[in-house]
Protein backbone atom coordinates (compact mmCIF):
# COMPACT_ATOMS: atom_id res chain seq x y z
CA UNK A 1 0.00 0.00 0.00
CA UNK A 2 1.40 3.40 -1.00
CA UNK A 3 0.49 6.46 1.03
CA UNK A 4 0.71 9.80 -0.64
CA UNK A 5 0.84 12.86 1.52
CA UNK A 6 -0.32 16.00 -0.18
CA UNK A 7 0.85 19.18 1.37
CA UNK A 8 -0.71 22.34 0.10
CA UNK A 9 0.89 25.66 0.74
CA UNK A 10 -1.29 28.68 0.25
CA UNK A 11 0.20 32.12 0.27
CA UNK A 12 -2.19 34.56 1.83
CA UNK A 13 -2.29 37.65 -0.35
CA UNK A 14 -1.70 40.35 2.20
CA UNK A 15 -0.75 42.99 -0.34
CA UNK A 16 -2.89 46.07 -0.07
CA UNK A 17 -4.15 47.59 -3.29
CA UNK A 18 -4.06 51.35 -3.86
CA UNK A 19 -7.85 51.51 -4.19
CA UNK A 20 -8.21 50.34 -0.57
CA UNK A 21 -6.13 53.19 0.84
CA UNK A 22 -6.61 56.87 1.49
CA UNK A 23 -4.65 59.65 3.14
CA UNK A 24 -4.16 58.99 6.86
CA UNK A 25 -4.53 55.20 6.75
CA UNK A 26 -2.19 53.22 9.00
CA UNK A 27 -0.40 50.19 7.54
CA UNK A 28 2.87 48.43 8.29
CA UNK A 29 5.98 47.54 6.37
CA UNK A 30 7.12 43.96 6.07
CA UNK A 31 9.58 44.78 8.86
CA UNK A 32 6.76 45.78 11.24
CA UNK A 33 7.24 49.57 11.04
CA UNK A 34 3.87 51.31 11.32
CA UNK A 35 3.50 54.03 8.71
CA UNK A 36 0.82 56.57 7.80
CA UNK A 37 -0.17 57.07 4.16
CA UNK A 38 0.59 60.62 3.05
CA UNK A 39 0.34 60.25 -0.72
CA UNK A 40 -0.64 57.46 -3.11
CA UNK A 41 1.35 57.22 -6.33
CA UNK A 42 1.01 54.73 -9.19
CA UNK A 43 3.20 51.95 -7.72
CA UNK A 44 4.27 53.37 -4.39
CA UNK A 45 3.02 55.34 -1.45
CA UNK A 46 4.71 58.19 0.38
CA UNK A 47 4.70 57.86 4.15
CA UNK A 48 7.11 60.50 5.38
CA UNK A 49 8.42 63.81 4.10
CA UNK A 50 10.87 66.11 5.79
CA UNK A 51 12.42 69.41 4.82
CA UNK A 52 16.08 69.83 5.73
CA UNK A 53 17.55 73.31 5.68
CA UNK A 54 21.29 73.86 5.85
CA UNK A 55 23.09 77.15 5.92
CA UNK A 56 26.77 77.65 5.20
CA UNK A 57 28.93 80.72 5.31
CA UNK A 58 30.29 81.66 1.91
CA UNK A 59 32.64 84.35 0.76
CA UNK A 60 31.74 86.46 -2.23
CA UNK A 61 34.78 87.44 -4.30
CA UNK A 62 37.27 89.61 -2.39
CA UNK A 63 34.50 91.21 -0.37
CA UNK A 64 34.70 91.50 3.38
CA UNK A 65 30.96 90.97 3.67
CA UNK A 66 29.75 87.65 5.00
CA UNK A 67 27.22 85.85 2.86
CA UNK A 68 25.32 82.70 3.57
CA UNK A 69 24.31 79.94 1.21
CA UNK A 70 21.07 78.23 2.15
CA UNK A 71 20.17 74.81 0.84
CA UNK A 72 16.66 73.34 1.15
CA UNK A 73 16.30 69.60 0.57
CA UNK A 74 13.09 67.61 0.70
CA UNK A 75 13.58 64.04 1.92
CA UNK A 76 10.75 61.73 0.84
CA UNK A 77 10.29 58.22 2.18
CA UNK A 78 8.21 55.91 0.03
CA UNK A 79 7.60 52.21 -0.33
CA UNK A 80 6.11 49.92 -2.95
CA UNK A 81 2.67 48.42 -2.40
CA UNK A 82 4.12 44.88 -2.33
CA UNK A 83 6.14 45.89 0.72
CA UNK A 84 3.24 46.97 2.94
CA UNK A 85 0.85 44.83 4.93
CA UNK A 86 -2.42 45.53 6.72
CA UNK A 87 -2.54 45.87 10.50
CA UNK A 88 -4.85 43.19 11.88
CA UNK A 89 -7.51 44.35 14.33
CA UNK A 90 -6.96 43.06 17.86
CA UNK A 91 -8.44 44.08 21.21
CA UNK A 92 -5.24 46.03 21.94
CA UNK A 93 -5.47 47.94 18.62
CA UNK A 94 -9.16 48.72 19.26
CA UNK A 95 -8.31 50.13 22.69
CA UNK A 96 -5.58 52.31 21.18
CA UNK A 97 -8.20 53.66 18.76
CA UNK A 98 -10.54 54.73 21.56
CA UNK A 99 -12.84 51.70 21.69
CA UNK A 100 -14.14 50.49 25.04
CA UNK A 101 -15.03 46.89 25.80
CA UNK A 102 -17.95 46.37 28.18
CA UNK A 103 -19.09 42.84 27.39
CA UNK A 104 -17.28 39.92 25.77
CA UNK A 105 -17.60 40.73 22.07
CA UNK A 106 -19.20 44.18 22.41
CA UNK A 107 -16.99 47.18 21.67
CA UNK A 108 -18.23 50.77 21.76
CA UNK A 109 -16.72 53.82 20.08
CA UNK A 110 -17.80 57.34 20.97
CA UNK A 111 -18.25 59.53 17.88
CA UNK A 112 -19.13 63.12 18.71
CA UNK A 113 -22.18 63.08 21.01
CA UNK A 114 -23.16 59.59 19.91
CA UNK A 115 -21.66 56.13 19.98
CA UNK A 116 -21.40 53.12 17.70
CA UNK A 117 -21.72 49.55 18.96
CA UNK A 118 -19.59 46.86 17.35
CA UNK A 119 -19.24 43.13 17.74
CA UNK A 120 -15.68 41.75 17.59
CA UNK A 121 -15.37 38.04 16.85
CA UNK A 122 -12.89 35.80 15.10
CA UNK A 123 -14.52 36.85 11.80
CA UNK A 124 -13.67 40.49 12.43
CA UNK A 125 -15.34 43.66 13.65
CA UNK A 126 -18.97 44.25 12.66
CA UNK A 127 -21.21 47.23 13.33
CA UNK A 128 -24.23 46.28 15.48
CA UNK A 129 -25.98 49.56 16.27
CA UNK A 130 -27.42 51.90 15.05
CA UNK A 131 -27.69 49.83 11.82
CA UNK A 132 -26.32 46.26 11.71
CA UNK A 133 -23.65 45.69 9.10
CA UNK A 134 -22.88 42.57 7.11
CA UNK A 135 -19.27 43.71 6.59
CA UNK A 136 -16.55 42.14 8.72
CA UNK A 137 -13.62 44.48 9.17
CA UNK A 138 -10.33 42.66 9.70
CA UNK A 139 -7.76 45.42 9.30
CA UNK A 140 -7.17 48.87 10.72
CA UNK A 141 -7.23 50.68 7.35
CA UNK A 142 -10.62 49.09 6.62
CA UNK A 143 -11.97 50.35 9.95
CA UNK A 144 -10.59 53.83 9.30
CA UNK A 145 -12.26 53.94 5.87
CA UNK A 146 -15.53 52.46 7.18
CA UNK A 147 -15.88 55.03 9.95
CA UNK A 148 -15.07 57.86 7.58
CA UNK A 149 -17.66 56.66 5.05
CA UNK A 150 -20.55 56.11 7.50
CA UNK A 151 -19.92 58.89 10.01
CA UNK A 152 -17.44 61.28 8.39
CA UNK A 153 -15.25 60.50 11.42
CA UNK A 154 -11.46 60.29 11.24
CA UNK A 155 -10.41 57.51 13.61
CA UNK A 156 -7.71 58.70 15.99
CA UNK A 157 -5.04 56.02 16.20
CA UNK A 158 -2.07 56.16 18.52
CA UNK A 159 -0.07 53.02 17.85
CA UNK A 160 3.24 54.32 19.20
Amino acid sequence: MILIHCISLYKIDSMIHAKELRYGNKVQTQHGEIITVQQILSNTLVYDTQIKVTQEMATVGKSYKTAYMTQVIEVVKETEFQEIEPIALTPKILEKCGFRNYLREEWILKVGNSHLDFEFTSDGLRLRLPIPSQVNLRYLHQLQNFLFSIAGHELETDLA
Side-chain angles (χ1 to χ4, degrees):
M1 175 183 243
I2 299 175
L3 294 175
I4 299 176
H5 294 281
C6 294
I7 300 175
S8 299
L9 297 176
Y10 294 102
K11 181 179 184 265
I12 297 173
D13 184 18
S14 62
M15 184 176 126
I16 302 174
H17 299 280
K19 66 183 179 183
E20 293 181 52
L21 296 174
R22 65 182 189 82
Y23 177 82
N25 280 156
K26 301 274 188 195
V27 292
Q28 62 186 348
T29 65
Q30 292 176 336
H31 305 290
E33 177 187 3
I34 296 174
I35 60 177
T36 302
V37 175
Q38 289 185 354
Q39 188 177 15
I40 300 169
L41 306 173
S42 60
N43 295 320
T44 62
L45 66 85
V46 174
Y47 63 92
D48 190 19
T49 55
Q50 297 176 358
I51 302 292
K52 292 187 178 182
V53 179
T54 59
Q55 194 173 47
E56 295 178 12
M57 207 164 49
T59 57
V60 179
K62 295 182 181 180
S63 172
Y64 291 106
K65 293 183 179 179
T66 303
Y68 291 94
M69 181 176 73
T70 303
Q71 186 176 23
V72 178
I73 300 172
E74 181 180 23
V75 178
V76 177
K77 292 183 182 178
E78 63 184 293
T79 187
E80 295 183 11
F81 287 110
Q82 305 92 287
E83 297 175 6
I84 60 170
E85 298 174 351
I87 298 171
L89 290 177
T90 63
K92 187 175 181 177
I93 295 285
L94 292 176
E95 287 174 357
K96 288 184 175 191
C97 294
F99 281 79
R100 297 292 166 247
N101 178 239
Y102 295 101
L103 300 171
R104 287 185 185 180
E105 288 91 23
E106 187 176 324
W107 289 80
I108 296 175
L109 177 67
K110 185 175 179 179
V111 177
N113 293 331
S114 186
H115 67 276
L116 299 170
D117 292 358
F118 288 86
E119 179 181 31
F120 186 54
T121 65
S122 59
D123 293 330
L125 188 69
R126 181 184 301 177
L127 182 65
R128 290 181 28 178
L129 296 172
I131 301 170
S133 168
Q134 298 302 314
V135 177
N136 287 319
L137 306 169
R138 296 178 184 271
Y139 304 110
L140 181 56
H141 72 280
Q142 292 173 334
L143 175 59
Q144 288 177 294
N145 295 343
F146 181 77
L147 287 173
F148 186 76
S149 68
I150 66 164
H153 177 73
E154 289 289 350
L155 182 65
E156 296 296 322
T157 55
D158 182 16
L159 302 181

